[in-house]
């Protein structure tokens, strides 16, 4: 909404403040400032001149005139001009040498077309008044010669442009902005809608409302004998232009002017083109209308129309029809003002992708009482400026609407704001908004008000004004009190933290996992939880794989990814590719998030319930049954060097073992040791894939990705990945993490090299050594794997370091040797391992 400051000052007695100070007060009241545009402040040395003589210069391709212009100086000025719409004796605006026009355009004396030109005669556009530039601006007869044009025409003005939110549609008018400015400055407000239409002397043009849900108020007035050649006055065209509306013709300009002034959209029909009674109704199937923009529109049965005997003549509240528009021959005019359904106009506007100044106001809600007054204001302007005669009578079709009454405890605004507002302040602020406040509960106390009431509060019954349809419940009223009292006056008080149990074990685990992976060199990412069928193909998932069964979104962000993810890997792999493509070749990423796995027998879609009541237990159960399982997982991908190269030597390329170690890092934070077993599971390489078990439960997989997956996503060679389900780890946790006991006694180390069959898994050997060594074993670590002639074909040597320590004493050599031998014996019994060299 663009509000010229000169227009605002007509309706509110503002103090001598700048446009920026006014904008600050309006912003504090909730009208967000977009811009302040100044007009005419740079214009200088523009005066009124009288044309004394005109000489037509010959020999040029266009008309050129050499004029003698009296400007109130000792001698007339000589000015060369190309316009021909003025004559000797006319008064015109003249920029003298050294003068400045809008935009900083300086005018000087110069020789042109063989004559000296001492200034410039101006058009309206050159003065910044309107877009008219076809000819010179001719002032009225008797305008004082030499007078300052800036003061005479009011060139200097400031326009405050505000963003109007959907809940304050009343501010899409000078009336609404002026009311807010008056409240902000505590100044007197002169309501432009405070006009006095004559008593209704019977109906005007016949009209009726066929659908009360589409329109509850419809007003028609007639103006006859209108002069279609009459032009809009300069002051009206200037205000419309500065308010962002293009002047068209007097009839159209008047309706736009009243809309900007009062906030009530109007429409003017050519009475000679109307047939029979005007009826407001919904569209019929297949009905069409050619609108003012020369587009033939097929109407929807939900569209709201204004019709006559010939059919549709206007899309209500959106755009008029071409057939009944005001033309250059229209002398009899029917002015229409109405109160249409806000939701109906909003849907109609969006359905036809047709947003107009009228629809923007109707969909936000206009003053239901305005049509009578706005139509009379428009009729007065048409009669005054266009020479028409207002016909007696008015057609006023309306549907009775029960006024809104809101019961509110007087202390409710204070409790919402967390500060003290006494009862008098609440009543005063609500009355400033325009509400009628009555002590007690006139209307039956509603359920909301009863819940808000506190012992000691007295109840108030508030009737919002007709221009505030957004005020519907106690919280709306509380917001008005707080807004007018000033948001800046609200105390900044941190709420006291309630007592609680702190984080759950599952929450602590998730935080520890994130910190541990970050400390291991991984970077956390957050990807969209959406996949497409193409991702399942790229992962090489077989046709019957459970991961292909996914929840489909009803309204996906992308048609390529309409499914909720069943695995974290696609998002991680795409992020890795994006990083590599931008020059980061050594990447290690992880993500913690939910996946969505539909249950067998679950309905394809969840039921859609109404909002008029609380769902029943059966309905809640049906929604629950349709929801997919949502386990929490952690995934990691890595490519390039995991240990960086440098002056110290070559680095180490990331491999499947690093993916397995990432899974072990996660499990250690849960206090669980993973059992790693060879497996074949897409999308991993069949020979480099590990299944991860915890307590006999499969919790995830890790390893190197299949070459076809790497090719499908464009990944670096030998990319590895891990995915582990935290939801399955949490039940296996033994409780809160306990700090390990630290022994003060020395450690004893023993190295053993065992020769085993190459098919034996390393984890089986380590498990046997751990169990056989007993409680004295502190850790077991594999530090070498050897294959070659010395161990024979089909075998390999596994070298382990065993660390022994007792919590209460220094171990003897006999104890250490006995524990080591017991570990080797159990490994030999379970896996056939033999000490190397024996």
């Amino acid at each position: 909404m663009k509000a010229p400051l000169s227009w605002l000052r007509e309706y509110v007695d503002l103090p001598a403040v700048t446009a920026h100070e006014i904008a600050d007060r309006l912003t504090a009241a909730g009208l967000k400032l977009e811009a302040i545009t100044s007009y005419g402040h740079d214009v200088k040395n523009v005066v009124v001149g009288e044309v004394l003589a005109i000489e037509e210069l010959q020999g040029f391709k266009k008309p050129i005139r050499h004029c003698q212009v009296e400007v109130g100086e000792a001698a007339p000025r000589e000015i060369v001009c190309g316009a021909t719409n003025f004559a000797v004796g006319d008064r015109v605006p003249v920029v003298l040498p050294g003068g400045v026009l809008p935009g900083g355009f300086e005018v000087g004396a110069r020789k042109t077309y063989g004559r000296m030109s001492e200034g410039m005669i101006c058009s309206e556009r050159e003065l910044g008044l309107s877009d008219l530039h076809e000819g010179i601006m001719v002032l009225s007869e008797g305008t004082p010669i030499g007078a300052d044009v800036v003061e005479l025409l009011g060139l200097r003005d400031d326009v405050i442009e505000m963003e109007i939110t959907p809940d304050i549609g009343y501010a899409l008018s000078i009336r609404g902005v002026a009311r807010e400015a008056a409240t902000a400055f505590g100044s007197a407000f002169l309501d432009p809608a405070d006009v006095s239409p004559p008593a209704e002397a019977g109906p005007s043009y016949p009209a009726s409302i066929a659908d009360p849900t589409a329109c509850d108020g419809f007003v028609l007035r007639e103006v006859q004998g209108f002069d279609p050649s009459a032009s809009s006055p300069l002051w009206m065209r200037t205000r419309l232009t500065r308010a962002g509306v293009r002047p068209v013709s007097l009839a159209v300009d008047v309706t736009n002017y009243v809309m900007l002034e009062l906030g009530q959209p109007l429409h003017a029909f050519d009475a000679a083109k109307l047939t029979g009674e005007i009826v407001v109704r919904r569209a019929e199937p297949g009905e069409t209308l050619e609108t003012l923009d020369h587009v033939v529109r097929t109407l929807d049965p939900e569209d709201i129309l204004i019709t006559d005997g010939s059919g549709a003549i206007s899309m209500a509240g959106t755009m008029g029809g071409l057939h009944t528009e005001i033309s250059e021959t229209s002398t009899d005019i029917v002015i229409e003002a109405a109160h249409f359904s806000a939701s109906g106009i909003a849907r109609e506007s969006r359905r036809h992708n047709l947003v107009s100044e009228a629809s923007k106001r109707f969909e936000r809600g206009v003053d239901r009482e305005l049509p009578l007054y706005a139509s009379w204001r428009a009729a007065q302007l048409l009669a005054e400026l266009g020479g028409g005669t207002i016909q007696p009578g008015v057609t006023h079709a309306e549907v009775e609407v029960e006024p809104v009454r809101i019961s509110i405890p007087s202390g409710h605004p204070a409790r919402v704001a967390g500060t003290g507002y006494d009862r008098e302040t609440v009543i005063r602020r609500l009355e400033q908004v325009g509400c009628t406040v009555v002590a007690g509960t006139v209307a039956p106390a509603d359920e909301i008000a009863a819940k808000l009431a506190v012992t000691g509060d007295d109840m108030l019954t508030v009737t919002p004004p007709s221009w505030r349809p957004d005020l519907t419940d106690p919280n709306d009223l509380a917001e008005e009190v707080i807004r007018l009292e000033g948001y800046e006056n609200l105390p900044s008080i941190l709420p006291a933290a309630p007592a609680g149990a702190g984080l759950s074990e599952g929450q602590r685990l998730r935080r520890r996992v994130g910190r541990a992976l970050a400390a291991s060199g991984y970077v956390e990412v957050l990807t969209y939880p959406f996949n497409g069928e193409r991702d399942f193909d790229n992962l090489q998932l077989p046709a019957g794989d459970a991961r292909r069964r996914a929840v489909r979104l009803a309204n996906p962000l992308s048609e390529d990814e309409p499914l909720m993810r069943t695995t974290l890997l696609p998002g991680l792999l795409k992020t890795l590719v994006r990083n590599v493509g931008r020059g980061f070749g050594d990447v290690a990423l992880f993500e913690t998030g939910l996946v969505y796995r539909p249950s067998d027998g679950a309905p394809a879609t969840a039921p859609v319930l109404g909002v008029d009541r609380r769902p029943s237990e059966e309905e809640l159960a049906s929604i629950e049954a349709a929801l997919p399982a949502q386990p929490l997982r952690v995934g990691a991908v890595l490519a390039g060097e995991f240990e960086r190269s440098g002056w110290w030597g070559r680095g180490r390329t990331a491999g499947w073992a690093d993916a397995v170690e990432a899974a072990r890092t996660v499990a250690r934070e849960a206090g669980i040791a993973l059992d790693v077993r060879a497996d074949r599971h897409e999308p991993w390489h069949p020979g480099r894939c590990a299944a991860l078990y915890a307590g006999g439960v499969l919790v995830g997989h890790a390893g190197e990705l299949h070459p076809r997956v790497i090719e499908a996503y464009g990944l670096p060679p030998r990319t590895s990945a891990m995915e582990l389900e935290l939801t399955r780890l949490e039940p296996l946790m033994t409780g809160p993490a306990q700090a390990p006991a630290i022994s003060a006694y020395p450690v004893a180390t023993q190295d053993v090299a065992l020769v085993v069959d190459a098919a034996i898994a390393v984890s089986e050997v380590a498990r046997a050594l751990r169990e056989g060594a007993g409680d004295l074993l502190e850790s077991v670590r594999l530090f070498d794997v050897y294959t070659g002639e010395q161990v024979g074909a089909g075998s390999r040597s596994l070298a382990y370091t065993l660390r022994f320590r007792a919590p209460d004493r220094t171990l003897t050599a006999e104890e250490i040797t006995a524990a080591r031998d017991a570990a080797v014996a159990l490994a030999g019994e379970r896996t056939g391992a033999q000490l190397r060299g024996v």
Side-chain angles (χ1 to χ4, degrees):
M1 176 65 191
K2 295 182 178 180
L5 195 53
S6 61
W7 203 351
L8 279 180
R9 288 187 181 275
E10 287 189 6
Y11 304 123
V12 57
D13 185 17
L14 290 173
V17 292
T18 66
H20 288 275
E21 291 175 292
I22 296 173
D24 289 342
R25 293 287 186 94
L26 293 176
T27 299
L31 278 66
K32 179 185 175 185
L33 176 66
E34 284 289 301
I36 296 177
T37 306
S38 296
Y39 292 91
H41 292 277
D42 54 349
V43 177
K44 65 180 182 179
N45 214 11
V46 183
V47 299
V48 176
E50 180 181 0
V51 180
L52 300 179
I54 299 176
E55 179 186 357
E56 304 285 349
L57 301 183
Q58 305 298 323
F60 300 102
K61 295 182 179 180
K62 60 181 181 179
I64 300 296
R65 305 168 114 190
H66 181 248
C67 308
Q68 299 288 329
V69 183
E70 172 63 47
V71 293
E73 297 178 336
R77 293 281 185 172
E78 298 182 14
I79 300 176
V80 176
C81 182
T84 60
N85 68 310
F86 62 97
V88 173
D90 285 343
R91 304 288 171 93
V92 293
V94 178
V95 187
L96 299 178
V100 180
L101 288 175
F105 179 72
E106 296 185 9
V107 176
R110 65 189 181 95
K111 191 171 184 179
T112 179
Y113 294 102
R115 301 295 180 93
M116 179 59 68
S117 183
E118 300 174 303
M120 175 179 172
I121 305 176
C122 303
S123 68
E124 289 185 13
R125 186 168 72 171
E126 288 162 344
L127 292 174
L129 291 171
S130 71
D131 290 333
L132 291 179
H133 63 284
E134 289 78 7
I136 291 304
M137 179 181 182
V138 179
L139 302 173
S140 60
E141 186 178 351
T143 305
I145 297 174
D148 185 359
V149 170
V150 173
E151 297 297 330
L152 181 69
L153 301 181
L155 295 183
R156 291 193 180 97
D157 201 357
D158 294 300
V159 175
I160 303 174
E161 183 178 358
M162 294 152 290
E163 178 184 336
I164 305 303
T165 54
D167 61 320
I168 53 173
Y170 68 92
L172 282 172
S173 66
I174 299 297
R175 180 195 189 205
V177 177
R179 180 181 282 110
E180 288 294 339
T183 302
F185 285 94
S187 303
F189 170 63
L190 177 62
D191 192 349
D194 187 14
V195 295
S196 301
E200 299 182 10
S204 179
Y205 197 92
S208 62
I209 299 173
D211 188 341
T213 66
C215 175
D216 57 28
F218 193 76
V219 174
L220 295 179
R221 294 185 190 272
E222 284 190 83
V223 176
Q224 295 183 357
F226 173 77
D227 181 5
S229 64
S231 60
S232 302
L234 176 63
W235 60 266
M236 179 177 287
R237 288 186 278 114
T238 301
R239 283 186 171 179
L240 289 175
T241 300
R242 291 179 177 175
V245 176
R246 180 177 62 87
V248 178
S249 64
L250 178 56
V252 175
D253 292 350
V254 164
T255 59
N256 285 334
Y257 183 84
V258 175
M259 176 185 69
L260 292 173
E261 183 179 60
L262 303 182
Q264 171 66 54
L266 302 172
H267 188 71
F269 297 103
D270 186 338
K273 299 175 182 178
L274 295 175
T275 306
E277 181 186 27
I278 290 179
V279 179
V280 184
R281 61 171 173 83
R282 303 279 182 173
E284 297 174 355
E287 199 167 5
T288 61
L289 172 66
E290 184 175 4
T291 47
L292 291 173
D293 55 358
H294 298 275
V295 176
V296 178
R297 303 182 186 276
T298 300
L299 304 173
D300 186 272
E302 290 299 314
D303 288 341
I304 304 172
L305 300 182
I306 299 174
T307 67
D308 66 0
S310 65
I313 58 174
S314 176
M315 292 177 63
T318 305
M319 184 174 286
L322 186 63
H323 173 65
T324 56
E325 73 168 333
I326 302 297
S327 66
E328 297 177 354
T329 61
S330 302
T331 58
D332 297 338
I333 296 175
V334 174
I335 303 169
E336 168 255 308
H339 185 261
F340 298 112
S341 163
S343 59
I345 297 301
R347 294 190 184 99
E348 178 178 286
S349 174
R350 285 157 179 74
R351 190 180 298 120
H352 294 278
N353 193 24
L354 186 61
V355 178
S356 64
E357 291 295 325
S359 69
K360 285 194 293 186
R361 286 162 173 80
F362 275 122
E363 69 184 17
R364 285 167 169 79
V366 299
D367 186 347
R368 188 176 180 274
E369 304 298 328
L370 263 182
L372 275 175
Y373 305 96
S375 60
W376 176 246
R377 170 78 166 135
Q380 285 181 309
L381 288 172
L382 287 174
E384 175 186 342
L385 303 175
T389 302
I390 303 175
Q391 296 303 297
V394 58
T395 299
H396 187 194
E398 63 177 334
V399 178
E400 289 296 328
V401 176
E402 185 69 23
V404 175
R405 291 187 176 89
I406 307 169
S407 296
I408 177 175
S410 61
H412 180 60
R415 285 192 294 276
V416 172
T419 189
Y421 300 139
D422 56 33
R423 181 178 184 275
E424 289 69 26
T425 298
V426 172
I427 294 175
R428 176 171 57 87
R429 290 303 189 182
L430 291 177
E431 289 177 344
Q432 281 183 328
V433 173
C435 298
T436 301
V437 183
V438 178
T441 306
V442 176
D446 57 21
E447 182 180 352
I448 296 177
K451 290 181 179 179
L452 296 176
V454 175
T455 302
D457 280 350
D458 60 334
M459 299 298 293
L460 303 175
T461 296
V462 180
T463 303
S466 57
W467 61 83
R468 293 300 303 271
D470 58 299
L471 303 181
T472 59
D473 63 53
N475 286 325
D476 293 333
L477 301 179
E479 183 180 359
E480 292 301 302
V481 174
I482 298 167
R483 177 175 70 89
L484 296 182
E485 281 293 301
Y487 294 117
E488 70 278 6
N489 296 324
L490 294 179
S492 180
I493 302 173
L494 289 176
L503 299 177
S504 67
E505 283 304 309
Q507 290 170 327
R508 290 193 180 96
L509 171 63
R510 292 164 211 166
R511 296 193 178 190
R512 290 199 305 269
V513 165
R515 288 194 292 265
L517 288 175
S520 299
Y522 291 83
V523 176
E524 186 173 15
V525 297
L526 184 65
T527 64
Y528 283 117
F530 310 124
N531 290 158
E533 293 287 350
R534 184 177 180 182
D535 288 308
F536 300 147
D537 296 335
N538 290 344
L539 292 176
Q540 308 296 311
L541 302 185
D545 196 292
R547 287 169 290 180
R548 282 187 175 272
R549 199 162 160 265
V551 175
R552 182 172 295 273
L553 295 169
N555 186 24
L557 292 179
S558 169
E559 293 299 329
D560 295 331
E561 296 180 334
L563 308 175
M564 297 297 289
R565 67 186 177 194
T566 57
T567 169
L568 299 178
L569 293 182
L572 283 167
L573 297 179
K574 292 173 187 176
T575 305
L576 187 146
V577 169
R578 189 177 303 115
N579 279 269
V580 172
R582 294 178 180 176
F584 299 96
D586 306 320
V587 186
L589 308 174
F590 83 95
E591 178 179 14
T592 303
L594 301 176
V595 297
Y596 307 87
R597 306 295 293 272
S599 306
D600 292 334
T605 58
V608 179
L609 306 182
V611 295
D612 57 332
R613 58 179 175 78
R614 184 185 184 280
S616 65
E617 294 300 327
E618 293 75 14
E619 290 172 332
L620 291 174
S622 65
I623 294 176
E624 188 71 27
L627 293 177
Q630 301 175 46
L632 180 69
R633 293 190 176 184
V634 56
V637 295
L638 59 164
E641 289 188 344
F642 194 67
E643 295 177 1
R644 302 292 188 262
S645 301
W647 59 265
W648 51 83
R650 294 175 60 84
R652 182 177 62 79
T653 302
W656 63 267
D658 296 297
V660 174
E661 183 58 27
R664 285 197 171 106
T665 299
V666 172
R668 277 195 294 269
E669 296 303 320
I672 297 171
L674 288 180
D675 182 9
V676 181
R677 308 176 190 175
D679 196 8
R680 298 173 65 92
H681 188 72
E682 294 79 7
W684 284 275
H685 190 296
R688 303 188 182 102
C689 172
L692 310 172
Y693 288 85
V697 178
L698 178 65
V699 294
H701 288 84
E704 181 182 315
L705 294 175
H706 196 287
R708 292 178 184 170
V709 176
I710 291 174
E711 180 182 1
Y713 279 102
L715 299 167
R718 313 301 289 270
T719 297
S720 299
M722 174 275 293
E723 187 171 23
L724 190 111
E725 193 159 305
L726 290 177
T727 302
R728 294 184 181 179
L729 279 184
E730 289 182 18
L732 304 177
M733 297 170 60
T734 57
Q738 300 294 329
I742 304 300
S743 174
Y745 293 92
V747 67
T749 61
Q750 291 281 311
D751 292 342
V752 294
L754 303 176
V755 178
V756 299
D757 189 277
I760 300 297
V762 173
S763 60
E764 294 184 29
V765 179
R767 190 182 310 111
L769 289 173
R770 189 175 294 108
E771 293 181 14
D775 295 337
L776 296 179
L777 182 68
E778 188 176 78
S779 66
V780 55
R781 182 175 66 88
L782 177 69
F783 68 87
D784 184 56
V785 178
Y786 171 76
T787 56
E789 295 181 0
Q790 297 183 21
V791 296
S795 298
R796 57 180 172 176
S797 172
L798 306 177
Y800 291 90
T801 294
L802 307 180
R803 290 168 56 91
F804 297 96
R805 193 191 321 247
D808 55 352
R809 67 188 187 283
T810 299
L811 294 176
T812 63
E814 291 77 9
E815 289 177 308
I816 298 169
T817 301
R820 181 201 63 187
D821 291 344
V824 172
L826 187 59
E829 178 182 336
R830 290 188 177 178
T831 66
Q834 295 182 353
L835 282 173
R836 185 175 173 185
V838 176

